[in-house]
């Protein structure tokens, strides 16, 4: 397990963590997806866009003209810029069988050109392309992070929602993505959640598995900007029916593997990978000139003009056995990050001695990962930030490529190997490593890009410099070839919302922002009685005295906020710290605590993300162009949902639940 808190998105022992998380010690490449696009399509938010992808265009008509965001997503997927999952409208196991002995890239390219195979993202509402089973591990998707929460409830879960938006009329619908007249509801067959607390997501789930919390298991924590790695240790065993994350997923894997012996067996699988950063594939778009094979502008060539295709053997009955052992690809293929490949053979030998080896079965002789502590040892042993041998090795590799002296940055720690036991006794300072761009040599505190500035290591850009000009067709069309200021979106133009500052019979229109939560200890414990005493005991919206005065609201009054996306009921925090025309609803105020019924919808008032939805900026989908190339957790689209507009009014002060 890996402790996740705000800021944990970039973990220090990167290569070790990545290998554990993606199972790349057994099978490569891993399937990865950009969440923003995944939820945008599968929660059917694309059906409610009334504007085109060229709404932000500043130049001459180009490739975005006449396309919707869904069309642009489909284009990005078929060019291999961004991953798309499910990838094709056919089971990838069957696709591999159909290809037979033909090279998979050649077979799939022919099928796509002939129109016998499509990308699933070109028809996301087809039943065969639905997500069917969703496992949520210690995240609160439906009470915190789902931008456009009511769309999730309506289309993904098929439950009650307060969605009020109208779908796009003919003429404003996608032209390259299939539009099905009836929007599907309830796409999911199963929602499974592992959590240690009651959240909106657990309330909506079909099955909830009780999980151990922080001080009931072994775990690791660190961030890229945090100079230490430290452990979590159980003060008590997991109580009652709870299990640690490691135990829970191993139990699921065990049952899955037993069933797979008769249902699946060993199969060949087609995996489509995008044009990755720090690989030759990032040079797939010379001069930024975009060519679409579907339009006949080039041929579909896997790894150049479309995704890279790989046949992977899936030994499904061996999943459980492989999960608790370090696989052979660790030493035969090493670990690669930031374009540096590490030889892990020494670390694997160390883990064989430290963890012991597996006896018998598909993983016989491999280092054991049966216990969570052994998994932690593996993470620490396979990263230069916690293994000085690997850090120095990586810098020597970089020296040969750059001609610059770099190995001395880690030389003082070359013989050091941080163990889990060390992190248990005290937080341990991390080692300077090529996995990151800063240096902590000689006790210096981390600051990013110091290696690039002081040691002249090239930036990972087209020129190797701090690179601002982007000579790419789409960037030129958006007028962003150079950094420019883009003002907030005009939601009244895009979605017909009232203009900010307008006052009508229903209330006052304001900009609605959802900053990080104020009284909830990183969104985990807002239902703790002590926390509730600090936060008025339920959801609040902060607004200025001027806006409050316009609608007759006093501090602590009940108010309703309404827009096309949903409805929120909350108490007003009237504060001079808020500027006129803008309101805050701090994120992660869950649906469970003091949320009355809405006068507008008659249903329980929503969460902060009931008033938001996903908006995707086309330039975020560019790939195969130097620094604008997909890398897991580094480059991909983000949901631009911070510029919403809502109408706020004072409601009846007698509330019902």
């Amino acid at each position: 397990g890996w402790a996740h808190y705000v800021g944990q998105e970039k973990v220090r022992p990167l290569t070790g963590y990545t290998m554990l998380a993606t199972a790349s010690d057994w099978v490569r490449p891993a399937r990865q997806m950009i969440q923003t696009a995944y939820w945008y399509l599968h929660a059917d938010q694309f059906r409610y866009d009334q504007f085109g992808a060229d709404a932000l265009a500043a130049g001459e008509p180009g490739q975005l003209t006449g396309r919707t965001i869904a069309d642009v997503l489909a284009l990005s997927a078929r060019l291999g810029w961004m991953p798309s999952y499910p990838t094709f409208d056919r089971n990838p196991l069957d696709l591999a069988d159909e290809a037979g002995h033909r090279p998979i890239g050649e077979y799939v390219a022919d099928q796509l050109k002939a129109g016998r195979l499509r990308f699933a993202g070109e028809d996301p509402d087809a039943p065969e392309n639905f997500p069917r089973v969703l496992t949520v591990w210690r995240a609160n998707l439906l009470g915190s992070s789902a931008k456009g929460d009511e769309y999730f409830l309506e289309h993904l879960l098929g439950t009650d929602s307060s969605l009020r938006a109208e779908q796009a009329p003919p003429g404003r619908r996608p032209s390259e993505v299939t539009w099905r007249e009836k929007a599907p509801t309830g796409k999911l067959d199963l929602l499974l959640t592992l959590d240690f607390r009651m959240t909106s997501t657990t309330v909506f789930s079909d099955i909830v598995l009780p999980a151990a919390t922080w001080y009931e298991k072994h775990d690791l924590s660190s961030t890229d900007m945090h100079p230490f790695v430290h452990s979590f240790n159980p003060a008590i065993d997991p109580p009652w029916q709870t299990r640690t994350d490691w135990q829970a997923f191993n139990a699921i894997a065990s049952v899955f593997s037993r069933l797979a012996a008769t249902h699946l067996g060993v199969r060949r699988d087609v995996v489509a990978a995008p044009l990755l950063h720090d690989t030759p594939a990032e040079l797939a778009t010379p001069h930024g000139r975009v060519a679409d094979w579907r339009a006949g502008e080039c041929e579909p060539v896997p790894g150049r003009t479309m995704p890279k295709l790989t046949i992977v053997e899936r030994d499904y009955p061996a999943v459980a056995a492989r999960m608790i052992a370090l696989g052979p690809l660790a030493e035969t293929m090493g670990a690669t990050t930031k374009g540096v490949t590490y030889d892990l053979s020494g670390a694997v030998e160390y883990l064989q001695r430290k963890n012991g080896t597996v006896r018998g079965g598909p993983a016989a002789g491999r280092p054991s990962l049966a216990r969570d502590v052994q998994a932690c040892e593996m993470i620490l042993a396979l990263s230069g930030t916690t293994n000085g041998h690997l850090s120095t090795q990586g810098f020597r590799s970089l020296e040969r490529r750059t001609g610059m002296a770099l190995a001395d940055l880690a030389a003082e720690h070359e013989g050091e190997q941080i163990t889990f036991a060390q992190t248990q006794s005290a937080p341990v300072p991390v080692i300077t490593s090529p996995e990151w761009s800063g240096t902590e040599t000689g006790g210096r505190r981390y600051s990013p890009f110091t290696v690039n500035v002081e040691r002249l290591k090239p930036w990972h850009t087209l020129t190797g410099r701090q690179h601002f000009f982007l000579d790419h067709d789409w960037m030129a069309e958006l007028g962003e070839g150079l950094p420019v200021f883009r003002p907030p979106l005009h939601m009244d133009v895009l979605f017909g919302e009232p203009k900010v500052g307008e006052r009508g019979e229903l209330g006052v229109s304001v900009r609605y922002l959802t900053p990080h939560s104020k009284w909830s200890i990183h969104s985990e414990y807002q239902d703790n009685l002590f926390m509730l005493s600090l936060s008025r005991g339920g959801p609040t919206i902060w607004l200025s005295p001027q806006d409050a005065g316009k609608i007759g609201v006093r501090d602590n009054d009940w108010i309703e906020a309404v827009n096309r996306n949903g409805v929120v009921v909350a108490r007003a925090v009237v504060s001079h710290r808020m500027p006129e025309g803008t309101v805050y609803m701090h994120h992660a105020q869950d649906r469970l605590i003091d949320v009355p019924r809405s006068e507008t919808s008659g249903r329980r008032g929503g969460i902060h993300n009931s008033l938001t939805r996903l908006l995707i900026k086309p330039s975020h989908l560019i790939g195969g162009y130097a620094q604008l190339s997909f890398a897991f957790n580094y480059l991909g689209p983000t949901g631009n949902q911070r510029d919403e507009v809502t109408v706020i009014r004072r409601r009846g002060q007698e509330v019902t639940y």
Side-chain angles (χ1 to χ4, degrees):
W2 196 273
H4 181 103
Y5 60 91
V6 177
Q8 186 64 32
E9 287 81 1
K10 292 182 171 61
V11 289
R12 268 307 180 96
L14 190 66
T15 50
Y17 173 70
T18 301
M19 189 161 287
L20 185 72
T22 63
S24 55
D25 53 329
W26 286 100
V27 174
R28 299 183 189 183
R31 263 199 186 91
Q32 296 171 334
M33 183 51 189
I34 45 174
Q35 284 209 52
T36 306
Y38 186 85
W39 300 122
Y40 176 79
L41 292 177
H42 292 309
D44 278 292
Q45 298 190 35
F46 78 95
R47 297 181 68 97
Y48 298 84
D49 280 352
Q50 308 270 355
F51 55 92
D54 56 356
L56 299 178
E60 295 293 320
Q63 293 188 346
L64 304 179
T65 304
R67 283 186 160 118
T68 66
I69 295 296
D71 292 328
V72 171
L73 269 172
L75 175 59
S76 177
R78 69 174 174 264
L79 297 185
W81 289 0
M82 290 291 146
S84 184
Y85 188 74
T87 308
F88 301 111
D89 62 357
R90 204 173 309 168
N91 186 319
L93 304 179
D94 296 337
L95 196 57
D97 290 344
E98 292 166 16
H101 296 294
R102 284 189 67 187
I104 191 61
E106 178 186 299
Y107 177 75
V108 169
D110 287 350
Q111 291 281 301
L112 289 168
K113 280 185 72 174
R116 291 189 292 268
L117 182 70
R118 295 183 71 195
F119 282 82
E122 295 171 336
D123 191 1
D125 285 345
E128 63 269 22
N129 297 331
F130 288 178
R132 295 291 185 175
V133 178
L134 175 60
T135 301
V136 180
W137 168 52
R138 269 196 14 223
N140 189 7
L141 183 69
L142 301 173
S144 175
S145 55
K147 313 304 187 295
D149 194 64
E150 304 296 327
Y151 297 87
F152 282 70
L153 300 182
E154 176 76 14
H155 295 291
L156 209 61
L157 269 62
T159 186
D160 289 341
S161 78
S162 295
L163 184 59
R164 303 158 54 81
E166 293 186 5
Q167 297 184 32
R172 296 189 178 182
R173 295 172 179 173
S175 57
E176 299 172 26
V177 169
T178 301
W179 182 276
R180 296 184 175 248
E181 283 306 314
K182 183 167 174 50
T185 57
K187 293 181 175 181
L188 285 180
D189 292 334
L190 175 68
L191 177 57
L192 166 67
T193 299
L194 290 78
D195 211 323
F196 53 75
R197 61 202 173 102
M198 187 61 72
T199 68
S200 295
T201 306
T202 55
V203 166
F204 283 115
S205 296
D206 299 297
I207 299 173
V208 181
L209 299 181
T213 186
W214 306 106
Y215 303 108
E216 297 164 4
K217 63 184 174 183
H218 294 101
D219 217 328
L220 281 171
S221 183
S222 71
T223 75
D224 60 327
M225 299 298 286
H226 182 54
F228 299 96
V229 60
H230 58 89
S231 66
F232 286 98
N233 298 285
I236 60 169
D237 290 334
W240 302 102
Q241 294 178 312
T242 62
R243 298 189 189 183
T244 67
D245 310 315
W246 196 244
Q247 291 169 338
F249 281 108
N250 273 297
I252 294 170
S254 178
V255 175
F256 171 83
S257 297
R258 190 169 70 246
L259 296 172
T262 53
H263 288 73
L264 285 167
V266 179
R267 298 288 300 273
R268 296 162 73 240
D269 183 13
V270 179
V271 178
L275 309 175
L276 291 172
H277 188 38
D278 287 325
T279 72
E282 67 176 20
L283 301 177
T285 318
H287 308 293
R289 298 291 172 262
V290 179
D292 180 6
W293 53 264
R294 176 154 294 166
E297 297 165 354
C298 61
E299 287 297 309
V301 180
R304 288 194 61 82
T305 60
M306 62 175 285
K308 181 181 179 181
L309 298 169
T310 307
I311 290 280
V312 168
E313 184 179 273
R314 305 283 187 198
D315 189 343
Y316 291 108
V319 165
R322 288 179 168 187
M323 187 172 171
I324 56 173
L326 180 64
L329 299 188
E331 62 261 41
T332 59
M333 297 187 70
T336 301
T337 187
K338 308 290 176 65
V340 177
T341 298
Y342 296 83
D343 178 357
L344 301 178
S345 53
V348 173
E349 289 177 13
Y350 163 82
L351 286 169
Q352 286 175 322
R353 297 191 302 271
K354 184 79 176 176
N355 287 0
T357 56
V358 175
R359 295 183 182 181
R366 302 304 307 169
S368 173
L369 303 178
R371 296 182 296 116
D372 49 11
V373 171
Q374 293 173 322
C376 291
E377 294 287 9
M378 173 244 190
I379 292 169
L380 295 170
L382 299 189
S383 167
T385 63
T386 44
N387 181 341
H389 302 284
L390 290 181
S391 177
T392 313
Q393 178 200 122
F395 276 125
R396 288 196 179 113
S397 174
L398 274 177
E399 281 184 341
R400 291 191 291 272
R401 290 167 57 187
T402 64
M404 306 305 297
L406 296 166
D408 60 296
L409 293 172
E412 61 184 333
H413 297 291
E414 184 170 6
E416 185 177 339
Q417 180 127 3
I418 297 172
T419 65
F420 187 67
Q422 285 176 276
T423 68
Q424 289 178 298
S425 61
V428 183
V430 293
I431 300 167
T432 302
S433 168
E435 290 155 85
W436 301 101
S437 59
T439 171
E440 282 135 319
T441 307
R444 180 179 180 179
R445 287 285 64 93
Y446 181 90
S447 183
F449 306 119
T450 49
V451 176
N452 305 82
V453 172
E454 297 171 8
R455 298 300 180 95
L456 302 182
K457 174 185 178 283
W459 267 264
H460 293 222
T461 63
L462 188 63
T463 60
R465 301 171 179 170
Q466 287 188 339
H467 181 99
F468 297 105
F469 178 56
L470 296 169
D471 187 18
H472 189 279
D473 288 346
W474 288 21
M475 300 303 288
E477 190 175 345
L478 292 169
E480 296 186 26
L482 287 168
V484 294
F485 169 73
R486 299 303 297 249
L489 297 173
H490 287 291
M491 306 306 280
D492 55 312
V493 174
L494 295 180
F495 289 107
E497 291 286 1
K499 291 185 177 180
V500 172
E502 275 189 12
R503 207 178 336 173
E505 294 178 11
L506 297 178
V508 62
S509 297
V510 290
R511 287 187 65 212
Y512 172 81
L513 305 180
T514 56
H516 264 47
S517 191
K518 195 170 180 61
W519 303 115
S520 63
I521 313 183
H522 289 299
S523 75
E524 296 289 356
Y525 297 112
Q526 67 167 38
D527 49 355
N528 174 283
L529 286 174
F530 179 66
M531 290 292 104
L532 290 173
S533 70
L534 293 176
S535 65
R536 305 194 185 201
T540 57
I541 292 179
W542 291 56
L543 67 163
S544 68
Q546 298 95 314
D547 290 322
K550 294 172 187 175
I551 53 176
V553 165
R554 300 172 64 182
D555 188 66
N556 219 42
D557 278 355
W558 285 106
I559 56 176
E560 281 194 18
V562 181
N563 68 6
R564 70 199 178 285
N565 300 320
V567 183
V568 164
V569 183
R571 290 188 183 275
V573 178
V574 180
S575 171
H576 65 278
R577 287 172 285 183
M578 295 301 302
E580 184 178 4
T582 297
V583 302
Y584 280 178
M585 185 171 186
H586 291 103
H587 89 320
Q589 300 181 59
D590 217 333
R591 199 184 296 264
L592 303 171
I593 305 158
D594 200 17
V595 179
R597 289 185 178 273
S598 159
E599 291 180 336
T600 306
S601 67
R603 298 192 178 95
R604 183 75 64 90
I607 65 166
H608 69 289
N609 272 328
S610 291
L611 298 179
T612 66
R613 53 150 298 168
L614 289 168
L615 294 171
I616 297 178
K617 190 176 181 184
S619 57
H620 289 188
L621 299 171
I622 294 172
Y625 177 72
Q627 63 267 38
L628 299 187
S629 298
F630 174 76
F632 177 67
N633 213 27
Y634 274 85
L635 190 124
T638 59
N640 296 281
Q641 70 288 334
R642 301 302 186 199
D643 282 320
E644 270 302 347
V645 170
T646 187
V647 173
I648 291 189
R649 67 176 180 85
R650 187 178 189 273
R651 55 155 291 153
Q653 299 305 293
E654 292 294 324
V655 297
T656 59
Y657 295 91

